[in-house]
Amino acid sequence: AVRAGRGVAIPASLPPVPGYAIEAAYLPAAEVGGDFYQILGQRDGSTLIVVGDVSGKGLKAAMTGTLALGALRTLAAEGLAPAALLARLNEQIVSAHEAGFITCLCVQICPDGHARVANAGHLIPYRNGEEIAMDSGLPLGLAENIDYAEASITLAPGDILTLLSDGVVEAMSASGELFGFERTRAISTQSAAQIAAAGKAFGQKDDITVLTLTLTG
């Protein structure tokens, strides 16, 4: 995995994910931003993968991210499904009265290829180069009592699930051109390191986070 990491925002090393080959790339921007991801094993043998992006920069964003990660780990230990986890995490972020908001994607994957996905305003993940059909949802921290929708998908052996932050999409060339969604979709079946490197080379402006999961079956 490629990482030039900071603190608690990402795992020190990638834990095994039963049934999957996992790759991760994490390229922080020059200014402290707010990308994070966590990979959390569950008692039922499934794995929770959470990717998030705290709005804003600097110390305030870092503090909000630390708060979210602490709450996330506590909630994940309860074995909540993705939509319920995001709803509870939203309540904790709102009640903390921190400035800003957090986009967050939560995926629960099982070794047999079944997965449940819930989204709070984050980039929708790709399966084999195509966006999953699901709601975008509202970011965490904007309002109380938000319910999140959950999509169910089934991966076949060899299928690739790609989760990423908007640092790839929003990479900008010297002439002001955005990398954009079409280019991102076109490279979404490449390795995490290749996708991240493409965003960086185009013109990195924000943290870049990419995770790819391939069902080994």
Side-chain angles (χ1 to χ4, degrees):
V2 177
R3 55 171 65 75
R6 289 189 307 264
V8 297
I10 65 171
S13 60
L14 288 178
V17 179
Y20 296 82
I22 182 169
E23 295 181 9
Y26 178 72
L27 303 175
E31 189 179 357
V32 174
D35 274 16
F36 63 85
Y37 70 84
Q38 293 290 301
I39 300 162
L40 304 163
Q42 300 292 281
R43 285 191 294 269
D44 63 1
S46 67
T47 303
L48 272 182
I49 298 174
V50 182
V51 181
D53 183 1
V54 183
S55 67
K57 302 285 183 192
L59 186 59
K60 204 160 189 67
M63 290 173 63
T64 304
T66 301
L67 168 76
L69 283 166
L72 169 64
R73 292 193 187 101
T74 301
L75 293 170
E78 296 183 28
L80 298 170
L85 188 149
L86 288 182
R88 291 272 300 279
L89 188 55
N90 178 65
E91 293 306 312
Q92 297 215 18
I93 301 301
V94 170
S95 65
H97 301 294
E98 293 287 346
F101 60 88
I102 302 173
T103 68
C104 193
L105 179 72
C106 183
V107 182
Q108 182 181 26
I109 54 175
C110 298
D112 62 3
H114 283 91
R116 294 193 287 182
V117 188
N119 193 15
H122 202 76
L123 287 186
I124 291 173
Y126 296 92
R127 175 175 58 178
N128 298 333
E130 298 295 336
E131 274 192 359
I132 292 171
M134 66 176 303
D135 291 340
S136 292
L138 277 177
L140 305 174
L142 290 182
E144 296 180 314
N145 302 318
I146 297 176
D147 290 325
Y148 291 95
E150 202 167 89
S152 295
I153 61 171
T154 302
L155 302 172
D159 280 359
I160 301 170
L161 191 63
T162 305
L163 322 176
L164 66 169
S165 67
D166 60 11
V168 177
V169 174
E170 294 180 359
M172 185 182 293
S173 70
S175 63
E177 182 183 8
L178 286 174
F179 192 78
F181 287 99
E182 282 306 308
R183 288 190 184 94
T184 302
R185 185 189 62 76
I187 65 170
S188 63
T189 56
Q190 295 181 15
S191 72
Q194 288 172 317
I195 296 169
K200 183 178 178 65
F202 197 81
Q204 181 178 4
K205 301 297 181 188
D206 198 359
D207 291 358
I208 291 175
T209 303
V210 187
L211 279 83
T212 60
L213 295 133
T214 305
L215 182 64
T216 53

